[in-house]
Each structure stands twice: as C-alpha cells, then as structure tokens.
Amino acid sequence: EIVLTQSPGTLSLSPGERATLSCRASQSVSTSYLAWYQQKPGQAPRLLIYHASSRATGIPDRFSGSGSGTDFTLTISRLEPEDFAVYYCQQYGSSAMYTFGQGTNLEIK
Amino acid sequence: EVHLVESGGGLVQPGGSLRLSCAASGFTFSTYWMHWVRQSPGKGLVWVSRINSDGSTLYADFVKGRFTISRDNAKNTLNLQMDSLRAEDTAVYYCAKGASYHGMDVWGQGTTVTVSS
C-alpha cells in the first residue's frame, strides 16, 4: 500500500501570502491518479486538483498543483480568508487501493 | 446540479448493524463508479469502498467481510451495509462520485455513525 505523507502538519500564514503544501509518496504515483482536496470545518471535502496539476471546475487559478513520481505540491499563490482549511492529497495505486495523506491544516497566523 | 445526500447514520451497539444510503441526482448515476469514505472524529479521510458501474466492488482491508457496498440504479441510490460494527467504525461516512482519474469529484454532506454501548 502506498503511504502519503503530507507536510507540514500545520502551516500558519497570513492572507496575501503564498502557501506551499507537500505530499510525499512511499512509492512512485502516477500523476494521472494524484488529487488534492480542501475541507473546511463541518463540511465535506471539495476536489481542488486532479491529474496532479489540473484544476477542478470552479477552482480559482490561485490554486495550482505540481510534481511527479513521489513528490507533489499544492501551491496557493495569494491566500484569501476562505482558503484557510485542511488540505488532503489522495492517490490511486497499482494495488487498486485509494489512500489519503493525513492532511495539512492551513491556519491564519 | 449534481447532488449526493447520505442517510441512515445513528447510534448502534458494538456488534450491531447499520445500513447507509446515498441518494444521487443531477447525473447519470448508473454510469459512474461510487465510493464511501469515512472520517473518524478529529482525524483524516479514509477510503472505505468502491462500486463500479458494472457492480464490481472493492473494499479496504479493515472492512472486508463486514461491510457490503451495493447500488440500485433504478432508484439512483448507493448503499453501505455495515455489520459486526466496532467502536473504531465510529465516523462520518461520505459518499462520493467517482471520476475517471480515480478521484472523487462530488461529495455528499456525510452521515454520522456512532458505535458505542
């Protein structure tokens, strides 16, 4: 089973700053099967990025994804107040299983 | 608009059973893979099960043999039959619509399952 490790666990930034979130896999992941989600307190997750770098419908262009192999990054270019949330990466692997990272809590500094 | 609404959660004793449902609307339900994902209190997301459009199923190891995923395409409904429930199954259970890239592009609001005596 592929394990996804996200870092940092908590990221404290101010609105207007740039956020860089990391997702590292224990084995190589196909970029086709790497996604990112945002979850706000009391809400369901929302798809942000799929195929490692494609924005989902309605997602602002300040969100971008990159990476390949075992290292993936979600970048938020200029934080808006509504961006403070928990972010998860997710992959689908050769064992036909789905795994999520443990999440990064992006909080207001 | 695509919409998923879960129901069926509640309080159940250890060893008991519960059946969750997810009503889908706004898309051709029968043609999409569907998932259940859970989130224990204060924890992260954990994938539970998937059912393909042809009815074939896949389960996480920790629910294999205890949970059964099914779908009723005539009623646009996804189900999760949960048997032999344990305290560690306590979680919010989300249904999610599968996407071609093996992600989940639409999620329901979740239903809460509490396993406790």
Side-chain angles (χ1 to χ4, degrees):
Chain A
E1 176 186 320
I2 296 178
V3 175
L4 299 179
T5 301
Q6 293 186 239
S7 61
T10 299
L11 183 59
S12 299
L13 294 170
S14 301
E17 291 192 294
R18 180 185 185 91
T20 303
L21 287 66
S22 173
C23 176
R24 179 162 290 178
S26 58
Q27 305 172 41
S28 185
V29 172
S30 168
T31 54
S32 295
Y33 303 147
L34 194 287
W36 289 91
Y37 303 85
Q38 176 194 66
Q39 187 179 34
K40 297 180 181 179
Q43 295 186 18
R46 176 175 71 146
L47 176 69
L48 294 176
I49 300 288
Y50 63 96
H51 285 169
S53 61
S54 298
R55 274 188 301 278
T57 302
I59 301 303
D61 60 7
R62 64 180 181 273
F63 290 90
S64 64
S66 63
S68 64
T70 59
D71 290 298
F72 298 88
T73 300
L74 175 69
T75 301
I76 310 172
S77 58
R78 285 182 58 86
L79 285 166
E80 298 287 343
E82 62 267 27
D83 298 337
F84 292 92
V86 179
Y87 292 83
Y88 296 94
C89 56
Q90 174 256 318
Q91 69 85 37
Y92 171 78
S94 58
S95 59
M97 289 298 173
Y98 300 79
T99 53
F100 290 88
Q102 84 280 15
T104 288
N105 181 26
L106 177 57
E107 65 176 23
I108 298 177
K109 187 173 183 179
Chain B
E1 182 186 358
V2 177
H3 212 46
L4 299 171
V5 179
E6 301 93 336
S7 60
L11 175 63
V12 61
Q13 292 188 337
S17 297
L18 212 54
R19 184 177 178 85
L20 306 183
S21 293
C22 171
S25 60
F27 65 103
T28 307
F29 177 76
S30 61
T31 64
Y32 285 89
W33 294 7
M34 296 294 296
H35 299 266
W36 287 100
V37 176
R38 74 185 189 185
Q39 186 170 36
S40 299
K43 303 297 184 181
L45 302 170
V46 178
W47 175 80
V48 173
S49 182
R50 181 193 82 195
I51 186 165
N52 294 4
S53 53
D54 65 2
S56 56
T57 59
L58 191 64
Y59 298 94
D61 286 344
F62 57 84
V63 302
K64 211 172 284 185
R66 300 189 300 124
F67 289 13
T68 304
I69 190 172
S70 63
R71 64 192 303 159
D72 184 337
N73 290 334
K75 296 182 178 180
N76 289 347
T77 300
L78 174 72
N79 301 302
L80 186 68
Q81 176 66 39
M82 303 187 296
D83 298 320
S84 303
L85 283 162
R86 307 165 180 167
E88 54 265 35
D89 295 319
T90 294
V92 175
Y93 285 75
Y94 295 100
C95 69
K97 174 176 165 286
S100 59
Y101 45 83
H102 290 290
M104 297 115 193
D105 60 359
V106 180
W107 297 64
Q109 86 289 350
T111 187
T112 300
V113 172
T114 303
V115 184
S116 174
S117 54

